[in-house]
PDB file of all heavy atoms in Angstrom:
ATOM      1  N   GLN A   1      89.819 103.020  93.059  1.00 89.00           N
ATOM      2  CA  GLN A   1      90.377 101.671  92.986  1.00 89.00           C
ATOM      3  C   GLN A   1      89.441 100.818  92.153  1.00 89.00           C
ATOM      4  O   GLN A   1      88.221 100.942  92.242  1.00 89.00           O
ATOM      5  CB  GLN A   1      90.494 101.043  94.375  1.00 89.00           C
ATOM      6  CG  GLN A   1      91.516 101.701  95.268  1.00 89.00           C
ATOM      7  CD  GLN A   1      91.504 101.059  96.637  1.00 89.00           C
ATOM      8  OE1 GLN A   1      90.612 101.328  97.431  1.00 89.00           O
ATOM      9  NE2 GLN A   1      92.482 100.224  96.900  1.00 89.00           N
ATOM     10  N   HIS A   2      90.019  99.917  91.348  1.00 90.00           N
ATOM     11  CA  HIS A   2      89.245  98.949  90.572  1.00 90.00           C
ATOM     12  C   HIS A   2      89.398  97.587  91.238  1.00 90.00           C
ATOM     13  O   HIS A   2      90.504  97.214  91.628  1.00 90.00           O
ATOM     14  CB  HIS A   2      89.778  98.839  89.139  1.00 90.00           C
ATOM     15  CG  HIS A   2      89.905 100.140  88.416  1.00 90.00           C
ATOM     16  ND1 HIS A   2      88.813 100.888  88.040  1.00 90.00           N
ATOM     17  CD2 HIS A   2      90.992 100.824  87.997  1.00 90.00           C
ATOM     18  CE1 HIS A   2      89.241 101.973  87.408  1.00 90.00           C
ATOM     19  NE2 HIS A   2      90.560 101.957  87.369  1.00 90.00           N
ATOM     20  N   PHE A   3      88.297  96.835  91.341  1.00 91.00           N
ATOM     21  CA  PHE A   3      88.328  95.509  91.936  1.00 91.00           C
ATOM     22  C   PHE A   3      87.676  94.499  91.002  1.00 91.00           C
ATOM     23  O   PHE A   3      86.559  94.720  90.530  1.00 91.00           O
ATOM     24  CB  PHE A   3      87.583  95.496  93.278  1.00 91.00           C
ATOM     25  CG  PHE A   3      88.265  96.310  94.341  1.00 91.00           C
ATOM     26  CD1 PHE A   3      87.947  97.648  94.513  1.00 91.00           C
ATOM     27  CD2 PHE A   3      89.227  95.743  95.160  1.00 91.00           C
ATOM     28  CE1 PHE A   3      88.565  98.412  95.480  1.00 91.00           C
ATOM     29  CE2 PHE A   3      89.859  96.498  96.138  1.00 91.00           C
ATOM     30  CZ  PHE A   3      89.519  97.837  96.295  1.00 91.00           C
ATOM     31  N   ASN A   4      88.353  93.410  90.755  1.00 92.00           N
ATOM     32  CA  ASN A   4      87.814  92.300  89.972  1.00 92.00           C
ATOM     33  C   ASN A   4      86.971  91.441  90.916  1.00 92.00           C
ATOM     34  O   ASN A   4      87.438  91.038  91.978  1.00 92.00           O
ATOM     35  CB  ASN A   4      88.965  91.479  89.378  1.00 92.00           C
ATOM     36  CG  ASN A   4      88.491  90.331  88.526  1.00 92.00           C
ATOM     37  OD1 ASN A   4      87.308  90.215  88.233  1.00 92.00           O
ATOM     38  ND2 ASN A   4      89.412  89.485  88.128  1.00 92.00           N
ATOM     39  N   ALA A   5      85.734  91.134  90.543  1.00 92.00           N
ATOM     40  CA  ALA A   5      84.844  90.357  91.396  1.00 92.00           C
ATOM     41  C   ALA A   5      84.871  88.864  91.084  1.00 92.00           C
ATOM     42  O   ALA A   5      84.151  88.102  91.707  1.00 92.00           O
ATOM     43  CB  ALA A   5      83.412  90.889  91.270  1.00 92.00           C
ATOM     44  N   ASP A   6      85.679  88.438  90.132  1.00 91.00           N
ATOM     45  CA  ASP A   6      85.731  87.026  89.736  1.00 91.00           C
ATOM     46  C   ASP A   6      87.174  86.527  89.832  1.00 91.00           C
ATOM     47  O   ASP A   6      88.009  86.844  88.991  1.00 91.00           O
ATOM     48  CB  ASP A   6      85.211  86.883  88.304  1.00 91.00           C
ATOM     49  CG  ASP A   6      85.064  85.439  87.859  1.00 91.00           C
ATOM     50  OD1 ASP A   6      85.568  84.534  88.551  1.00 91.00           O
ATOM     51  OD2 ASP A   6      84.447  85.222  86.804  1.00 91.00           O
ATOM     52  N   ALA A   7      87.446  85.737  90.850  1.00 86.00           N
ATOM     53  CA  ALA A   7      88.807  85.225  91.064  1.00 86.00           C
ATOM     54  C   ALA A   7      89.238  84.249  89.973  1.00 86.00           C
ATOM     55  O   ALA A   7      90.436  84.030  89.773  1.00 86.00           O
ATOM     56  CB  ALA A   7      88.894  84.554  92.427  1.00 86.00           C
ATOM     57  N   ALA A   8      88.289  83.675  89.238  1.00 89.00           N
ATOM     58  CA  ALA A   8      88.613  82.685  88.210  1.00 89.00           C
ATOM     59  C   ALA A   8      88.923  83.310  86.852  1.00 89.00           C
ATOM     60  O   ALA A   8      89.531  82.659  86.002  1.00 89.00           O
ATOM     61  CB  ALA A   8      87.461  81.688  88.066  1.00 89.00           C
ATOM     62  N   ARG A   9      88.496  84.547  86.621  1.00 90.00           N
ATOM     63  CA  ARG A   9      88.706  85.203  85.321  1.00 90.00           C
ATOM     64  C   ARG A   9      89.260  86.605  85.514  1.00 90.00           C
ATOM     65  O   ARG A   9      88.827  87.325  86.413  1.00 90.00           O
ATOM     66  CB  ARG A   9      87.377  85.305  84.562  1.00 90.00           C
ATOM     67  CG  ARG A   9      86.806  83.977  84.138  1.00 90.00           C
ATOM     68  CD  ARG A   9      85.542  84.126  83.321  1.00 90.00           C
ATOM     69  NE  ARG A   9      85.701  85.128  82.270  1.00 90.00           N
ATOM     70  CZ  ARG A   9      84.725  85.891  81.822  1.00 90.00           C
ATOM     71  NH1 ARG A   9      83.517  85.774  82.320  1.00 90.00           N
ATOM     72  NH2 ARG A   9      84.928  86.767  80.864  1.00 90.00           N
ATOM     73  N   PRO A  10      90.172  87.020  84.650  1.00 88.00           N
ATOM     74  CA  PRO A  10      90.707  88.383  84.781  1.00 88.00           C
ATOM     75  C   PRO A  10      89.699  89.427  84.308  1.00 88.00           C
ATOM     76  O   PRO A  10      88.821  89.147  83.505  1.00 88.00           O
ATOM     77  CB  PRO A  10      91.927  88.376  83.868  1.00 88.00           C
ATOM     78  CG  PRO A  10      91.621  87.341  82.838  1.00 88.00           C
ATOM     79  CD  PRO A  10      90.810  86.288  83.550  1.00 88.00           C
ATOM     80  N   ALA A  11      89.843  90.606  84.842  1.00 91.00           N
ATOM     81  CA  ALA A  11      89.102  91.760  84.338  1.00 91.00           C
ATOM     82  C   ALA A  11      90.098  92.577  83.524  1.00 91.00           C
ATOM     83  O   ALA A  11      91.245  92.736  83.912  1.00 91.00           O
ATOM     84  CB  ALA A  11      88.548  92.588  85.482  1.00 91.00           C
ATOM     85  N   ARG A  12      89.665  93.053  82.371  1.00 91.00           N
ATOM     86  CA  ARG A  12      90.543  93.853  81.518  1.00 91.00           C
ATOM     87  C   ARG A  12      89.842  95.166  81.180  1.00 91.00           C
ATOM     88  O   ARG A  12      88.651  95.188  80.894  1.00 91.00           O
ATOM     89  CB  ARG A  12      90.881  93.104  80.245  1.00 91.00           C
ATOM     90  CG  ARG A  12      91.618  91.814  80.520  1.00 91.00           C
ATOM     91  CD  ARG A  12      92.055  91.148  79.235  1.00 91.00           C
ATOM     92  NE  ARG A  12      92.508  89.803  79.454  1.00 91.00           N
ATOM     93  CZ  ARG A  12      93.742  89.463  79.802  1.00 91.00           C
ATOM     94  NH1 ARG A  12      94.649  90.393  79.978  1.00 91.00           N
ATOM     95  NH2 ARG A  12      94.076  88.205  79.980  1.00 91.00           N
ATOM     96  N   LEU A  13      90.625  96.240  81.212  1.00 89.00           N
ATOM     97  CA  LEU A  13      90.064  97.543  80.894  1.00 89.00           C
ATOM     98  C   LEU A  13      91.051  98.332  80.051  1.00 89.00           C
ATOM     99  O   LEU A  13      92.242  98.057  80.049  1.00 89.00           O
ATOM    100  CB  LEU A  13      89.713  98.325  82.158  1.00 89.00           C
ATOM    101  CG  LEU A  13      90.851  98.717  83.102  1.00 89.00           C
ATOM    102  CD1 LEU A  13      91.333 100.119  82.795  1.00 89.00           C
ATOM    103  CD2 LEU A  13      90.364  98.635  84.525  1.00 89.00           C
ATOM    104  N   ILE A  14      90.531  99.273  79.325  1.00 88.00           N
ATOM    105  CA  ILE A  14      91.343 100.227  78.576  1.00 88.00           C
ATOM    106  C   ILE A  14      91.226 101.544  79.331  1.00 88.00           C
ATOM    107  O   ILE A  14      90.128 101.999  79.636  1.00 88.00           O
ATOM    108  CB  ILE A  14      90.842 100.383  77.129  1.00 88.00           C
ATOM    109  CG1 ILE A  14      90.977  99.055  76.388  1.00 88.00           C
ATOM    110  CG2 ILE A  14      91.607 101.489  76.424  1.00 88.00           C
ATOM    111  CD1 ILE A  14      90.327  99.046  75.021  1.00 88.00           C
ATOM    112  N   SER A  15      92.366 102.149  79.635  1.00 83.00           N
ATOM    113  CA  SER A  15      92.387 103.361  80.437  1.00 83.00           C
ATOM    114  C   SER A  15      93.018 104.509  79.652  1.00 83.00           C
ATOM    115  O   SER A  15      93.984 104.309  78.917  1.00 83.00           O
ATOM    116  CB  SER A  15      93.191 103.105  81.718  1.00 83.00           C
ATOM    117  OG  SER A  15      93.287 104.268  82.482  1.00 83.00           O
ATOM    118  N   CYS A  16      92.475 105.703  79.805  1.00 79.00           N
ATOM    119  CA  CYS A  16      93.073 106.885  79.175  1.00 79.00           C
ATOM    120  C   CYS A  16      92.915 108.075  80.114  1.00 79.00           C
ATOM    121  O   CYS A  16      92.075 108.082  81.000  1.00 79.00           O
ATOM    122  CB  CYS A  16      92.437 107.159  77.819  1.00 79.00           C
ATOM    123  SG  CYS A  16      90.685 107.491  77.869  1.00 79.00           S
ATOM    124  N   THR A  17      93.760 109.091  79.882  1.00 75.00           N
ATOM    125  CA  THR A  17      93.754 110.295  80.694  1.00 75.00           C
ATOM    126  C   THR A  17      93.592 111.504  79.780  1.00 75.00           C
ATOM    127  O   THR A  17      94.174 111.543  78.699  1.00 75.00           O
ATOM    128  CB  THR A  17      95.086 110.427  81.465  1.00 75.00           C
ATOM    129  OG1 THR A  17      95.262 109.267  82.271  1.00 75.00           O
ATOM    130  CG2 THR A  17      95.102 111.652  82.349  1.00 75.00           C
ATOM    131  N   ASN A  18      92.828 112.475  80.224  1.00 72.00           N
ATOM    132  CA  ASN A  18      92.628 113.706  79.478  1.00 72.00           C
ATOM    133  C   ASN A  18      93.970 114.406  79.319  1.00 72.00           C
ATOM    134  O   ASN A  18      94.618 114.777  80.291  1.00 72.00           O
ATOM    135  CB  ASN A  18      91.644 114.586  80.241  1.00 72.00           C
ATOM    136  CG  ASN A  18      91.345 115.875  79.531  1.00 72.00           C
ATOM    137  OD1 ASN A  18      92.217 116.509  78.965  1.00 72.00           O
ATOM    138  ND2 ASN A  18      90.093 116.273  79.587  1.00 72.00           N
ATOM    139  N   ARG A  19      94.410 114.622  78.076  1.00 76.00           N
ATOM    140  CA  ARG A  19      95.743 115.185  77.859  1.00 76.00           C
ATOM    141  C   ARG A  19      95.837 116.645  78.282  1.00 76.00           C
ATOM    142  O   ARG A  19      96.905 117.112  78.645  1.00 76.00           O
ATOM    143  CB  ARG A  19      96.173 115.010  76.414  1.00 76.00           C
ATOM    144  CG  ARG A  19      95.399 115.824  75.432  1.00 76.00           C
ATOM    145  CD  ARG A  19      95.913 115.614  74.043  1.00 76.00           C
ATOM    146  NE  ARG A  19      94.945 116.184  73.118  1.00 76.00           N
ATOM    147  CZ  ARG A  19      94.946 115.981  71.846  1.00 76.00           C
ATOM    148  NH1 ARG A  19      95.866 115.238  71.310  1.00 76.00           N
ATOM    149  NH2 ARG A  19      94.041 116.520  71.080  1.00 76.00           N
ATOM    150  N   ILE A  20      94.752 117.396  78.241  1.00 75.00           N
ATOM    151  CA  ILE A  20      94.804 118.788  78.712  1.00 75.00           C
ATOM    152  C   ILE A  20      95.089 118.801  80.210  1.00 75.00           C
ATOM    153  O   ILE A  20      95.938 119.550  80.689  1.00 75.00           O
ATOM    154  CB  ILE A  20      93.496 119.534  78.373  1.00 75.00           C
ATOM    155  CG1 ILE A  20      93.359 119.692  76.860  1.00 75.00           C
ATOM    156  CG2 ILE A  20      93.448 120.879  79.082  1.00 75.00           C
ATOM    157  CD1 ILE A  20      92.045 120.252  76.404  1.00 75.00           C
ATOM    158  N   TYR A  21      94.397 117.969  80.931  1.00 69.00           N
ATOM    159  CA  TYR A  21      94.602 117.854  82.377  1.00 69.00           C
ATOM    160  C   TYR A  21      96.043 117.409  82.655  1.00 69.00           C
ATOM    161  O   TYR A  21      96.738 117.977  83.488  1.00 69.00           O
ATOM    162  CB  TYR A  21      93.596 116.846  82.927  1.00 69.00           C
ATOM    163  CG  TYR A  21      93.511 116.800  84.423  1.00 69.00           C
ATOM    164  CD1 TYR A  21      92.869 117.804  85.127  1.00 69.00           C
ATOM    165  CD2 TYR A  21      94.060 115.744  85.139  1.00 69.00           C
ATOM    166  CE1 TYR A  21      92.772 117.762  86.503  1.00 69.00           C
ATOM    167  CE2 TYR A  21      93.968 115.698  86.513  1.00 69.00           C
ATOM    168  CZ  TYR A  21      93.329 116.709  87.185  1.00 69.00           C
ATOM    169  OH  TYR A  21      93.245 116.656  88.550  1.00 69.00           O
ATOM    170  N   LYS A  22      96.509 116.434  81.895  1.00 70.00           N
ATOM    171  CA  LYS A  22      97.871 115.925  82.058  1.00 70.00           C
ATOM    172  C   LYS A  22      98.908 117.001  81.729  1.00 70.00           C
ATOM    173  O   LYS A  22      99.875 117.197  82.464  1.00 70.00           O
ATOM    174  CB  LYS A  22      98.066 114.707  81.156  1.00 70.00           C
ATOM    175  CG  LYS A  22      99.419 114.070  81.260  1.00 70.00           C
ATOM    176  CD  LYS A  22      99.496 112.852  80.369  1.00 70.00           C
ATOM    177  CE  LYS A  22     100.854 112.198  80.417  1.00 70.00           C
ATOM    178  NZ  LYS A  22     100.922 111.021  79.555  1.00 70.00           N
ATOM    179  N   ASN A  23      98.722 117.728  80.640  1.00 73.00           N
ATOM    180  CA  ASN A  23      99.683 118.746  80.231  1.00 73.00           C
ATOM    181  C   ASN A  23      99.693 119.961  81.152  1.00 73.00           C
ATOM    182  O   ASN A  23     100.647 120.747  81.127  1.00 73.00           O
ATOM    183  CB  ASN A  23      99.433 119.170  78.781  1.00 73.00           C
ATOM    184  CG  ASN A  23      99.785 118.068  77.793  1.00 73.00           C
ATOM    185  OD1 ASN A  23     100.580 117.190  78.086  1.00 73.00           O
ATOM    186  ND2 ASN A  23      99.182 118.112  76.623  1.00 73.00           N
ATOM    187  N   CYS A  24      98.667 120.134  81.952  1.00 71.00           N
ATOM    188  CA  CYS A  24      98.650 121.215  82.938  1.00 71.00           C
ATOM    189  C   CYS A  24      99.421 120.829  84.199  1.00 71.00           C
ATOM    190  O   CYS A  24      99.509 121.611  85.141  1.00 71.00           O
ATOM    191  CB  CYS A  24      97.209 121.567  83.320  1.00 71.00           C
ATOM    192  SG  CYS A  24      96.326 122.449  82.036  1.00 71.00           S
ATOM    193  N   GLY A  25      99.944 119.604  84.233  1.00 66.00           N
ATOM    194  CA  GLY A  25     100.700 119.152  85.395  1.00 66.00           C
ATOM    195  C   GLY A  25      99.846 118.626  86.521  1.00 66.00           C
ATOM    196  O   GLY A  25     100.293 118.487  87.652  1.00 66.00           O
ATOM    197  N   LEU A  26      98.602 118.320  86.236  1.00 63.00           N
ATOM    198  CA  LEU A  26      97.678 117.844  87.263  1.00 63.00           C
ATOM    199  C   LEU A  26      97.427 116.349  87.146  1.00 63.00           C
ATOM    200  O   LEU A  26      96.373 115.852  87.519  1.00 63.00           O
ATOM    201  CB  LEU A  26      96.360 118.620  87.174  1.00 63.00           C
ATOM    202  CG  LEU A  26      96.493 120.131  87.311  1.00 63.00           C
ATOM    203  CD1 LEU A  26      95.164 120.798  87.044  1.00 63.00           C
ATOM    204  CD2 LEU A  26      97.017 120.491  88.690  1.00 63.00           C
ATOM    205  N   ASN A  27      98.378 115.617  86.645  1.00 63.00           N
ATOM    206  CA  ASN A  27      98.208 114.189  86.414  1.00 63.00           C
ATOM    207  C   ASN A  27      98.946 113.385  87.476  1.00 63.00           C
ATOM    208  O   ASN A  27      99.820 112.586  87.188  1.00 63.00           O
ATOM    209  CB  ASN A  27      98.727 113.827  85.010  1.00 63.00           C
ATOM    210  CG  ASN A  27      98.354 112.420  84.626  1.00 63.00           C
ATOM    211  OD1 ASN A  27      97.280 111.961  84.960  1.00 63.00           O
ATOM    212  ND2 ASN A  27      99.232 111.737  83.932  1.00 63.00           N
ATOM    213  N   ASP A  28      98.615 113.627  88.728  1.00 64.00           N
ATOM    214  CA  ASP A  28      99.259 112.904  89.818  1.00 64.00           C
ATOM    215  C   ASP A  28      98.618 111.529  89.965  1.00 64.00           C
ATOM    216  O   ASP A  28      97.599 111.371  90.630  1.00 64.00           O
ATOM    217  CB  ASP A  28      99.123 113.671  91.136  1.00 64.00           C
ATOM    218  CG  ASP A  28      99.882 114.972  91.131  1.00 64.00           C
ATOM    219  OD1 ASP A  28     100.832 115.093  90.335  1.00 64.00           O
ATOM    220  OD2 ASP A  28      99.535 115.857  91.917  1.00 64.00           O
ATOM    221  N   LEU A  29      99.191 110.541  89.309  1.00 64.00           N
ATOM    222  CA  LEU A  29      98.709 109.172  89.438  1.00 64.00           C
ATOM    223  C   LEU A  29      99.650 108.429  90.363  1.00 64.00           C
ATOM    224  O   LEU A  29     100.867 108.439  90.174  1.00 64.00           O
ATOM    225  CB  LEU A  29      98.659 108.473  88.078  1.00 64.00           C
ATOM    226  CG  LEU A  29      97.727 109.105  87.051  1.00 64.00           C
ATOM    227  CD1 LEU A  29      97.826 108.367  85.723  1.00 64.00           C
ATOM    228  CD2 LEU A  29      96.299 109.117  87.546  1.00 64.00           C
ATOM    229  N   GLU A  30      99.100 107.788  91.375  1.00 65.00           N
ATOM    230  CA  GLU A  30      99.916 107.071  92.339  1.00 65.00           C
ATOM    231  C   GLU A  30      99.296 105.707  92.581  1.00 65.00           C
ATOM    232  O   GLU A  30      98.117 105.611  92.910  1.00 65.00           O
ATOM    233  CB  GLU A  30      99.973 107.858  93.653  1.00 65.00           C
ATOM    234  CG  GLU A  30     100.836 107.217  94.689  1.00 65.00           C
ATOM    235  CD  GLU A  30     100.935 108.081  95.949  1.00 65.00           C
ATOM    236  OE1 GLU A  30     100.733 109.297  95.859  1.00 65.00           O
ATOM    237  OE2 GLU A  30     101.191 107.505  96.997  1.00 65.00           O
ATOM    238  N   GLN A  31     100.090 104.679  92.405  1.00 66.00           N
ATOM    239  CA  GLN A  31      99.608 103.328  92.670  1.00 66.00           C
ATOM    240  C   GLN A  31      99.762 103.060  94.151  1.00 66.00           C
ATOM    241  O   GLN A  31     100.872 103.073  94.685  1.00 66.00           O
ATOM    242  CB  GLN A  31     100.396 102.301  91.863  1.00 66.00           C
ATOM    243  CG  GLN A  31      99.890 100.895  92.087  1.00 66.00           C
ATOM    244  CD  GLN A  31     100.538  99.894  91.152  1.00 66.00           C
ATOM    245  OE1 GLN A  31     100.923 100.226  90.049  1.00 66.00           O
ATOM    246  NE2 GLN A  31     100.646  98.675  91.613  1.00 66.00           N
ATOM    247  N   ILE A  32      98.650 102.798  94.817  1.00 66.00           N
ATOM    248  CA  ILE A  32      98.664 102.603  96.261  1.00 66.00           C
ATOM    249  C   ILE A  32      98.981 101.158  96.620  1.00 66.00           C
ATOM    250  O   ILE A  32      99.692 100.897  97.573  1.00 66.00           O
ATOM    251  CB  ILE A  32      97.314 103.037  96.869  1.00 66.00           C
ATOM    252  CG1 ILE A  32      97.141 104.547  96.643  1.00 66.00           C
ATOM    253  CG2 ILE A  32      97.241 102.699  98.344  1.00 66.00           C
ATOM    254  CD1 ILE A  32      95.805 105.085  97.043  1.00 66.00           C
ATOM    255  N   GLY A  33      98.462 100.221  95.850  1.00 69.00           N
ATOM    256  CA  GLY A  33      98.695  98.809  96.160  1.00 69.00           C
ATOM    257  C   GLY A  33      98.982  98.014  94.911  1.00 69.00           C
ATOM    258  O   GLY A  33      98.507  98.341  93.829  1.00 69.00           O
ATOM    259  N   ASP A  34      99.791  96.984  95.063  1.00 68.00           N
ATOM    260  CA  ASP A  34     100.107  96.103  93.947  1.00 68.00           C
ATOM    261  C   ASP A  34      98.998  95.084  93.726  1.00 68.00           C
ATOM    262  O   ASP A  34      98.242  94.760  94.636  1.00 68.00           O
ATOM    263  CB  ASP A  34     101.410  95.346  94.211  1.00 68.00           C
ATOM    264  CG  ASP A  34     102.623  96.257  94.157  1.00 68.00           C
ATOM    265  OD1 ASP A  34     102.570  97.265  93.438  1.00 68.00           O
ATOM    266  OD2 ASP A  34     103.610  95.951  94.844  1.00 68.00           O
ATOM    267  N   ALA A  35      98.925  94.579  92.520  1.00 68.00           N
ATOM    268  CA  ALA A  35      98.055  93.465  92.186  1.00 68.00           C
ATOM    269  C   ALA A  35      98.982  92.257  92.017  1.00 68.00           C
ATOM    270  O   ALA A  35      99.539  92.056  90.944  1.00 68.00           O
ATOM    271  CB  ALA A  35      97.269  93.736  90.917  1.00 68.00           C
ATOM    272  N   PRO A  36      99.204  91.478  93.069  1.00 71.00           N
ATOM    273  CA  PRO A  36     100.209  90.420  93.025  1.00 71.00           C
ATOM    274  C   PRO A  36      99.954  89.353  91.969  1.00 71.00           C
ATOM    275  O   PRO A  36     100.880  88.692  91.513  1.00 71.00           O
ATOM    276  CB  PRO A  36     100.188  89.818  94.439  1.00 71.00           C
ATOM    277  CG  PRO A  36      98.898  90.244  95.017  1.00 71.00           C
ATOM    278  CD  PRO A  36      98.502  91.523  94.330  1.00 71.00           C
TER     279      PRO A  36
END
């Protein structure tokens, strides 16, 4: 889980996934909670 520590400013990130891992069918990404 990623958590922003500053309520006044957004945190921004660039995310990527290893395509070999993804193409092997092991890319089970599940969002557990919303960021309202």
